[in-house]
């Protein structure tokens, strides 16, 4: 008898609760009328969390319009399928004599003071014994069905689902992947594929995410939210893009794939470097910026190529002043230039002459180039022929040499330049050649001229002559190293 | 405008037109053409030597001044000489670059070509350097690229610790684990000219031009012991055609590594003909510091000259320099500051009277990047040294509208001091620039600037007032070999 009573209570309780919440059935006013729950909730229909409700005729027994005011009430045809996957019959079998309807639904000690069964009541009995409903180790599937199957829930109800405190922790984003992989069923209680796809660009390729079911309600809700892709800590080091990201990407391409598609990489990687890893990412839309890398200006900044993906601010690919210090790194392939740049990219500077927004020199460089040239800050001859470019311009500008050796000319006329020029020439001979032809100097420094020796004290004639003896004969009428007769 | 140039311009125009009118490109295309059309408007104020009889003031010194203060030189002849400004000379060079890339013939096989055409739209007293050389093939080669290596055949160039060398020939690169071996050989081209030693280009500007072509032969080994470290050694010689000697014989060594948050780079270039280290550079810089980055470099430099010139025999000396930069760029801040300084000391020349034997530079850049589309940059640099010195300040403001449009204005003021010829003058400039991407494969940019040159203390001197402008179109047709293939449209 007690068992039956318990069963009845268990069956009736949710019915009563539901009635209270939906139509406000005043259980307390009927407390003296119904000594047992089964007076109205006579049986259990176990299709999920359902319960039996009284027939309308049972109410009319009293509420006939004469004894009591008439009420018109009809039980719903079916209850929307919610998130709760409670089985009364299963609980009936296990409850034994210890449980009754009030075990879960009583809100006070008085009869018929009932309410919705609190999750705390559930977790207090079940094996996992978690301290609270939304504990990180709660086994949601014990009481809940996956959200995608809770077809009765509205968008608003889904939006109002409580957020576990663990989701708010600072390291949750980094850790949630492993947690999801370990127990995706737990995630499925509140999430669908679109929950993940909001941030995960690799959702279609991620097996864990694919294990979730799609849901149009979640899709609608996710569409209204911005992706949440905070910059990982290792991305914030100064040379992450130029120096580190390759290793990181190779070690864990899957990690990159969360926030990046192939588009991100192909914006810079126009060559063959990293193609295997890149191919494993989700193919994004064809990158319009990729076509521009080959002739990207020789600046130190990459102009916001990643805005289509996770990063919306410019990424500093190379260090400051990179254009002037990249030589050793490029020559030794420390940074594999071809991984990002087509070869013609180098020509933009090294083949010179081009002008416009992508030029190497700043505006009005002609007025300011002299100190750079003298100090070889950037060596002009790397790109320009000193004879064909510099000298041609200097000649037309009136700076190139004339036959006069003692004129004010380009040189400082305030002192006897002829006596100074040796030091000046040795300190910056390239500067001399930008105006003077060789014959200008051989007027004095040759056997056919004044035979003034231009060689320095450490000049190794044999070393040079061994490599080009013809050059010696530009100035010497006879081979100076030939054995004397 | 010769026929070849006209043809090139026509191809460029047609390709541009094709880009504009073609709504969508075929996915099956396996050729890509990129064109860059750049035009300049340049004003120059050439100087000219003037003279008068030295007898106008027989008691004066060798160096005198005219009544307006102009410095003149009266030597042993009957004349005194000085330089005066001529009228404004104008040039408007037009450069058309075309880059072709074709692939798809066989796995790993591609063909590349970069050609350049030049002409001058306006010639008024000034011919822009090299604009008379109407057509250049910068490179044109076939490449076979495989995971184990690469081979190239045709006009190409090799870049490394010795600079850039162009040549007509072949090169091959083989990769083995952490090693790569590269070799190249062919007919050498003169740097910056893209033509042979005997092509006539040098003969037109040099009265002792080389009388034989050169043949280049080089090899390079690279080793990468780990992901953070790389080493490269390179040897190259340019042999005179009759093998009587070499135009150059050099070697280079480059190394780069990262350790404990530091980046260490070294570069060395050695000239066997003079026994001089043309470059020895060692640089240490921080790589991981988020707020402050520091870089320090020591450098030894001696200019290099090929042996078809006599310059190497004049015993050029180099300098030793120490330089350092400190960059402050706090994370999340709109501001960044970069400072740099350098000091160099020339080696003993054993020649001539005392001139400046050292030099130094210092400067700072302060930039501001707004959260929106605006940015600003202010710079100041001072360089004091042998030959020329300068004090230079500039301010730039830039506005970006997405990635497709930007506009800016640059204000500049520079002072040339101690310079041999131009003297102590100041140049004030204002320039505006704009860049617009009209389509994904077509962009245009341009700038125009006005520069006013004034002498200090009201002294007379050359007038370098000038206007400058440039316009650049960049376009491309065809598919980028580096871009993924877009999925074909699915009909509903």
């Amino acid at each position: 008898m007690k068992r039956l009573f318990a069963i009845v209570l268990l069956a009736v309780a949710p019915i009563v609760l539901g009635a209270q919440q939906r139509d406000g059935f005043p259980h307390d006013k009927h407390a003296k009328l119904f000594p047992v729950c089964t007076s109205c909730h006579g049986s259990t229909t176990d299709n999920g969390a359902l319960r039996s409700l009284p027939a309308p005729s049972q109410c009319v027994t009293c509420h006939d319009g004469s004894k009591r005011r008439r009420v018109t009430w009809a039980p719903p045809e079916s209850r929307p399928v919610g998130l709760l996957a409670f089985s009364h019959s299963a609980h009936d079998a296990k409850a034994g004599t210890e449980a009754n309807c009030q075990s879960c639904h009583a809100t006070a000690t008085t009869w018929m003071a009932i309410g919705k069964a609190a999750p705390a009541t559930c977790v207090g009995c079940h094996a996992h014994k978690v301290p609270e409903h939304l504990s990180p180790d709660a086994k949601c599937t014990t009481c809940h069905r996956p959200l995608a199957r809770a077809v009765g829930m509205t968008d608003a109800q889904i939006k109002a689902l409580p957020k576990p405190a663990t989701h708010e922790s600072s390291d949750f984003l980094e850790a949630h992947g492993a947690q999801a992989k370990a127990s995706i069923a737990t995630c499925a209680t509140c999430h669908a594929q679109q929950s993940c796809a909001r941030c995960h660009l690799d959702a279609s390729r991620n097996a864990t995410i694919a294990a979730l079911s799609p849901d149009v309600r979640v899709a609608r809700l996710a569409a209204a939210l911005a992706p949440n892709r905070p910059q990982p800590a290792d991305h914030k080091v100064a040379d992450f893009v130029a120096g580190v990201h390759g290793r990181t990407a190779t070690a864990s391409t899957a990690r990159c794939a969360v926030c990046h598609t192939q588009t991100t990489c192909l914006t810079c990687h126009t060559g063959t470097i990293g193609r295997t890893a890149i191919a494993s990412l989700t193919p994004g839309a064809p990158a319009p910026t990729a076509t521009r890398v080959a002739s990207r200006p020789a600046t130190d900044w990459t102009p916001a190529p990643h805005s289509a993906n996770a990063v919306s601010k410019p990424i500093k690919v190379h260090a400051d002043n990179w254009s002037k210090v990249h030589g050793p790194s490029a020559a030794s392939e420390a940074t594999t230039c071809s991984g990002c740049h087509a070869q013609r990219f180098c020509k933009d500077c090294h083949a010179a002459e081009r002008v416009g927004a992508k030029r190497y020199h700043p505006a009005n460089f002609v007025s300011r180039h002299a100190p750079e040239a003298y100090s070889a800050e950037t060596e002009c001859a790397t790109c320009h022929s000193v004879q064909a470019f510099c000298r041609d311009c200097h000649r037309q500008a009136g700076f190139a040499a004339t036959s006069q050796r003692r004129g004010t000319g380009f040189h400082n006329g305030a002192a006897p330049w002829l006596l100074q020029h040796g030091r000046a020439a040795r300190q910056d001979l390239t500067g001399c050649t930008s105006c003077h032809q060789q014959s200008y100097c051989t007027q004095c420094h040759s056997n056919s001229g004044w035979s003034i020796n231009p060689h320095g004290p450490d000049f190794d004639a044999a070393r040079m002559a061994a490599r080009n003896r013809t050059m010696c004969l530009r100035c010497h009428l006879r081979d100076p190293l030939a054995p004397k007769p | 405008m010769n026929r070849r140039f006209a043809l090139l311009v026509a191809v460029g125009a047609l390709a541009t037109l094709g880009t504009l009118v073609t709504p969508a490109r075929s996915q099956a295309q396996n050729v890509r053409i990129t064109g860059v059309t750049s035009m300049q408007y340049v004003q120059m104020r050439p100087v000219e030597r003037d003279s008068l009889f030295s007898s106008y003031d027989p008691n004066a010194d060798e160096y005198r001044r005219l009544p307006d203060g102009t410095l003149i030189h009266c030597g042993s002849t009957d004349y005194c000489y000085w330089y005066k400004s001529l009228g404004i000379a104008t040039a408007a060079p037009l450069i058309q670059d075309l880059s072709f890339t074709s692939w798809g013939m066989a796995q790993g096989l591609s063909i590349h070509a970069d050609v350049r055409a030049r002409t001058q739209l306006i010639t008024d007293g000034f011919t822009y350097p090299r604009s008379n050389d109407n057509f250049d093939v910068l490179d044109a080669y076939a490449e076979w690229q495989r995971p184990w290596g690469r081979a190239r055949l045709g006009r190409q160039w090799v870049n490394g610790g010795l600079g850039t060398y162009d040549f007509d020939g072949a090169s091959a690169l083989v990769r083995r684990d952490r090693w790569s071996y590269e070799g190249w050989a062919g007919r050498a081209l003169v740097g910056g000219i893209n033509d042979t030693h005997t092509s006539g280009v040098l003969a037109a500007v040099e009265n002792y031009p080389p009388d034989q072509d050169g043949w280049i032969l080089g090899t390079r080994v690279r080793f990468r012991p780990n992901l953070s470290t790389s080493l490269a050694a390179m040897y190259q010689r340019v042999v005179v055609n009759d093998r009587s000697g070499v135009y150059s014989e050099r070697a280079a060594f480059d190394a780069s590594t990262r350790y404990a948050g530091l980046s260490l780079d070294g570069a060395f270039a050695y000239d066997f003909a003079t026994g001089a280290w043309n470059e020895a550079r060692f640089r240490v810089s921080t790589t991981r510091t988020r707020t402050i980055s520091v870089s320090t470099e020591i450098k030894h430099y001696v200019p290099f000259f090929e042996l078809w010139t006599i310059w190497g025999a004049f015993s050029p000396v180099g300098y030793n320099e120490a330089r350092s930069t400190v960059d402050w760029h706090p994370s999340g801040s709109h501001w960044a500051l970069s400072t740099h300084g350098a000091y160099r000391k020339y080696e003993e020349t054993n020649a001539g009277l005392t001139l400046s034997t050292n030099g130094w530079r210092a400067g700072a850049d302060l930039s501001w990047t707004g959260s929106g589309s605006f940015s600003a940059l202010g710079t100041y640099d001072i360089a004091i040294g042998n030959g020329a010195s300068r004090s230079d300040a500039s301010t730039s403001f830039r506005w970006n509208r997405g990635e497709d449009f930007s506009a800016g204005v640059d204000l500049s003021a520079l002072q040339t001091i101690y310079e041999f010829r131009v003297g102590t003058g100041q140049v004030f400039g204002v320039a505006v620039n704009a860049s617009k991407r009209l389509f994904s494969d077509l962009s245009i940019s341009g700038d125009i600037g006005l520069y006013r040159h004034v002498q200090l203390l009201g002294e007379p001197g050359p007038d370098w007032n000038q206007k400058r402008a440039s316009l650049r179109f960049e376009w491309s047709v065809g598919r980028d070999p580096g871009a993924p293939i877009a999925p074909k449209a699915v009909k509903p």
Side-chain angles (χ1 to χ4, degrees):
Chain A
M1 186 62 189
K2 286 184 178 178
R3 173 171 292 186
L4 177 63
F5 183 66
I7 292 170
V8 170
L9 283 179
L10 283 171
V12 168
I15 300 171
V16 173
L17 174 64
Q20 276 191 322
Q21 290 189 328
R22 284 189 298 280
D23 58 15
F25 179 77
H27 280 86
D28 53 341
K29 290 183 178 178
H30 297 75
K32 294 179 180 176
L33 188 61
F34 301 115
V36 293
C37 301
T38 52
S39 299
C40 295
H41 308 288
S43 63
T44 300
T45 57
D46 192 8
N47 56 343
L50 280 188
R51 69 286 180 251
S52 70
L53 295 173
S57 59
Q58 196 172 343
C59 304
V60 176
T61 304
C62 297
H63 292 274
D64 62 353
S66 57
K67 301 177 195 170
R68 292 284 186 275
R69 64 180 176 86
R70 174 175 280 281
V71 295
T72 56
W73 176 81
E77 293 181 0
S78 63
R79 185 187 179 189
V81 180
L83 208 56
L84 188 65
F86 183 80
S87 171
H88 280 99
S89 57
H91 285 75
D92 292 345
K94 293 183 179 180
T97 59
E98 300 299 322
N100 53 36
C101 297
Q102 287 181 300
S103 299
C104 296
H105 294 284
T107 58
T109 55
T110 55
W111 172 243
M112 294 265 293
I114 59 167
K116 184 180 180 181
T121 309
C122 306
V123 299
C125 292
H126 283 279
H128 50 67
K129 302 271 184 194
V130 292
E132 57 181 352
H133 177 216
L134 300 178
S135 289
D137 53 350
K139 193 175 180 182
C140 306
T141 52
T142 303
C143 302
H144 297 288
R145 62 170 57 87
L147 177 64
R149 285 170 49 200
V151 295
M153 293 185 74
T154 64
D155 289 12
Q157 287 174 317
I158 294 174
K159 190 177 181 181
L161 286 172
K163 189 175 184 180
T166 54
H167 287 34
E168 304 284 4
S169 67
S170 58
D171 61 344
F172 175 73
L173 280 179
E174 281 290 327
H176 82 286
Q179 295 171 8
K181 194 173 289 184
S183 178
I184 189 64
T186 299
C187 306
T189 304
C190 297
H191 298 287
Q193 279 185 6
Q194 289 85 352
S195 309
C196 308
R198 178 167 72 93
C199 308
H200 280 258
L201 293 171
D202 65 335
S204 62
R205 291 183 165 196
N206 188 309
T208 305
I209 296 174
L212 294 175
S213 300
D215 192 300
V216 292
R217 299 162 300 172
V218 175
R220 283 193 296 267
L221 293 169
L225 299 173
N228 181 19
R229 303 191 191 106
Q231 194 177 34
D234 62 352
H235 286 40
K236 295 176 182 174
V237 297
D239 64 340
F240 176 75
V241 176
V244 181
H245 86 282
R247 270 173 281 167
T248 307
T250 306
S252 178
T253 309
R255 179 169 175 257
C256 308
V258 173
C259 298
H260 301 282
T261 66
Q262 291 181 5
T263 305
T264 308
C265 309
L266 293 172
T267 300
C268 293
H269 282 260
T270 59
T272 57
I273 301 300
R275 300 311 296 267
T276 304
I278 294 169
S280 67
L281 300 180
T282 306
T289 50
T291 63
R292 286 179 264 129
V293 171
S295 51
R296 182 168 291 164
T299 62
D300 295 328
W301 286 83
T302 302
H306 301 71
S307 55
N309 283 307
V311 185
S312 60
K313 62 182 181 181
I315 287 181
K316 198 169 190 179
V317 175
H318 296 304
D320 293 327
N321 206 27
W322 178 251
S323 61
K324 293 187 176 179
V325 300
H326 71 284
S329 190
S332 63
E333 285 196 331
T335 49
T336 312
C337 309
S338 60
C340 297
H341 302 287
Q343 196 183 29
R344 61 177 179 270
F345 171 80
C346 309
K347 284 277 183 183
D348 260 7
C349 294
H350 287 286
E353 295 190 57
R354 283 180 180 173
V355 297
K358 295 183 177 179
R359 60 184 161 202
Y360 178 74
H361 297 305
N364 194 27
F365 186 68
V366 68
S367 293
R368 64 182 74 195
H369 75 287
E372 269 79 359
Y374 273 107
S375 66
E377 171 68 12
T378 50
E379 194 167 1
C380 309
T382 300
C383 302
H384 300 288
S385 163
V386 175
Q387 291 85 2
F389 191 87
C390 308
R391 192 185 298 164
D392 187 25
C393 195
H394 290 170
R395 178 183 58 78
Q396 295 187 72
F399 299 143
T402 66
S403 59
Q404 189 194 26
R405 300 189 188 93
R406 300 180 65 196
T408 53
F410 175 75
H411 306 296
N412 192 347
W417 176 249
L418 191 62
L419 300 178
Q420 290 183 327
H421 88 283
R423 180 178 290 273
R426 285 204 172 137
Q427 287 187 169
D428 184 58
L429 199 53
T430 307
C432 303
T433 66
S434 69
C435 288
H436 297 279
Q437 297 191 43
Q438 298 173 72
S439 61
Y440 187 85
C441 302
T442 56
Q443 290 178 82
C444 301
H445 299 291
S446 71
N447 288 160
S448 57
W450 294 356
S451 293
I452 297 175
N453 180 9
H455 305 314
D458 298 327
F459 178 67
D460 189 341
R463 171 191 280 268
M464 191 169 282
R467 286 168 176 80
N468 196 320
R469 192 164 295 247
T470 306
M471 188 264 293
C472 304
L473 301 177
R474 295 284 191 200
C475 302
H476 295 274
L477 295 177
R478 284 180 294 190
D479 186 348
L481 297 175
K484 293 182 180 177
Chain B
M1 188 179 292
N2 65 17
R3 182 183 296 179
R4 283 190 300 183
F5 182 79
L7 180 64
L8 212 57
V9 170
V11 170
L14 285 173
T16 305
L17 190 62
T19 306
L20 291 171
V21 302
T22 305
R25 298 190 303 276
S26 166
Q27 297 295 323
Q29 283 180 321
N30 57 1
V31 64
R32 182 171 182 80
I33 305 173
T34 301
V36 179
T37 308
S38 57
M39 291 168 274
Q40 263 195 107
Y41 177 82
V42 181
Q43 284 188 341
M44 293 284 288
R45 293 297 295 268
V47 293
E48 183 184 57
R49 193 171 67 157
D50 205 347
S51 63
L52 55 72
F53 285 110
S54 58
S55 58
Y56 85 101
D57 185 6
N59 297 319
D61 297 330
E62 183 179 358
Y63 292 92
R64 312 174 194 174
R65 287 188 184 274
L66 293 177
D68 65 0
T70 302
L71 183 70
I72 66 173
H73 175 248
C74 305
S76 57
T77 66
D78 294 335
Y79 298 93
C80 298
Y81 297 97
W82 76 96
Y83 283 77
K84 68 178 182 181
S85 290
L86 297 178
I88 293 175
T90 304
L94 167 65
I95 297 176
Q96 174 64 61
D97 283 350
L98 287 178
S99 295
F100 301 86
T101 303
S102 180
W103 68 99
M105 291 75 73
Q107 189 172 15
L109 184 63
S110 58
I111 294 174
H112 306 260
D114 287 277
V115 297
R116 172 171 292 170
R118 308 180 190 86
T119 191
Q120 193 153 274
L121 302 177
I122 301 172
T123 306
D124 181 13
F126 178 64
T127 302
Y128 196 79
R130 307 219 61 215
S131 59
N132 286 334
D133 187 1
N134 293 128
F135 186 77
D136 255 352
V137 178
L138 304 181
D139 58 43
Y141 59 91
E143 179 178 283
W144 190 43
Q145 179 90 245
R146 303 303 303 145
W148 49 264
R150 182 199 68 211
R152 286 179 181 155
L153 181 65
R155 175 164 292 191
Q156 56 193 293
W157 54 296
V158 60
N159 224 359
L162 300 179
T164 302
Y165 280 82
D166 300 68
F167 63 96
D168 294 328
S171 69
L173 181 148
V174 177
R175 301 185 186 94
R176 283 285 180 275
D177 299 325
R178 296 173 179 179
W179 295 83
S180 75
Y181 310 90
E182 188 176 8
W184 56 93
R187 189 177 59 163
L189 304 176
V190 180
I193 291 180
N194 283 99
D195 232 326
T196 60
H197 286 77
T198 58
S199 64
V201 177
L202 287 177
V205 293
E206 181 61 69
N207 50 14
Y208 290 164
D211 54 5
Q212 296 188 59
D213 284 336
W215 293 88
I216 193 170
L217 189 68
T219 184
R220 174 162 51 196
V221 179
R222 287 184 172 122
F223 177 52
R224 190 155 199 159
N226 55 57
L227 284 172
S228 302
T229 305
S230 56
L231 311 166
M234 174 181 180
Y235 172 81
Q236 179 179 280
R237 65 192 328 198
V238 178
V239 182
V240 180
N241 189 48
D242 64 2
R243 290 189 282 180
S244 61
V246 299
Y247 284 146
S248 69
E249 182 181 11
R250 304 173 75 198
F253 179 75
D254 295 274
S256 183
T257 188
R258 287 184 171 85
Y259 180 74
L262 296 176
S263 178
L264 299 93
D265 298 290
F268 306 89
Y270 182 74
D271 181 9
F272 288 97
T274 60
W277 291 94
N278 298 126
E279 181 177 82
R281 180 191 296 243
F282 183 71
R283 182 167 180 262
V284 182
S285 55
T286 58
T287 60
R288 304 288 175 96
T289 306
R290 289 176 55 190
T291 302
I292 295 179
S293 301
V294 180
S295 169
T296 300
E297 179 178 303
I298 53 174
K299 173 185 173 184
H300 171 77
Y301 169 80
V302 176
F304 162 76
F305 300 96
E306 286 197 329
L307 294 180
W308 62 265
T309 72
I310 60 174
W311 304 117
F314 281 58
S315 301
V317 301
Y319 62 75
N320 299 305
E321 184 178 69
R323 59 174 71 182
S324 184
T325 62
V326 178
D327 300 322
W328 174 76
H329 39 77
S331 179
S333 172
H334 295 297
W335 296 90
L337 176 67
S338 176
T339 61
H340 61 88
Y343 176 81
R344 68 176 180 275
K345 176 78 175 173
Y346 288 89
E347 295 177 319
E348 176 55 51
T349 59
N350 298 293
L353 299 178
T354 301
L355 283 175
S356 171
T357 59
N358 56 23
W360 59 273
R361 289 180 289 114
D365 302 345
L366 179 65
S367 63
W368 174 81
T369 305
S371 54
S373 307
F374 291 94
S375 61
L377 172 68
T379 68
Y380 176 75
D381 286 283
I382 183 168
I384 306 292
N386 171 56
S389 301
R390 190 191 67 220
S391 176
D392 183 1
S394 68
T395 304
S396 303
F397 300 95
R398 177 155 292 277
W399 174 60
N400 291 291
R401 183 180 171 189
E403 291 187 44
D404 292 338
F405 178 78
S406 68
V409 58
D410 301 319
L411 306 172
S412 62
L414 72 91
Q415 180 178 349
T416 55
I417 40 184
Y418 311 140
E419 200 164 343
F420 285 147
R421 182 60 184 89
V422 177
T424 52
Q426 291 176 327
V427 179
F428 299 96
V430 56
V432 293
N433 59 73
S435 179
K436 169 70 176 172
R437 183 180 306 140
L438 302 174
F439 303 96
S440 64
D441 289 336
L442 175 64
S443 60
I444 180 174
S445 60
D447 63 85
I448 183 169
L450 304 173
Y451 301 95
R452 179 154 184 83
H453 182 226
V454 296
Q455 299 290 332
L456 291 183
L457 306 175
E459 287 186 347
D463 174 5
W464 272 43
N465 293 341
Q466 56 182 294
K467 299 176 188 139
R468 289 188 164 242
S470 72
L471 189 62
R472 173 187 174 114
F473 293 94
E474 184 170 349
W475 50 263
S476 59
V477 293
R479 196 169 68 79
D480 194 306
I485 299 174
K488 291 183 178 178
V490 179
K491 292 182 179 178

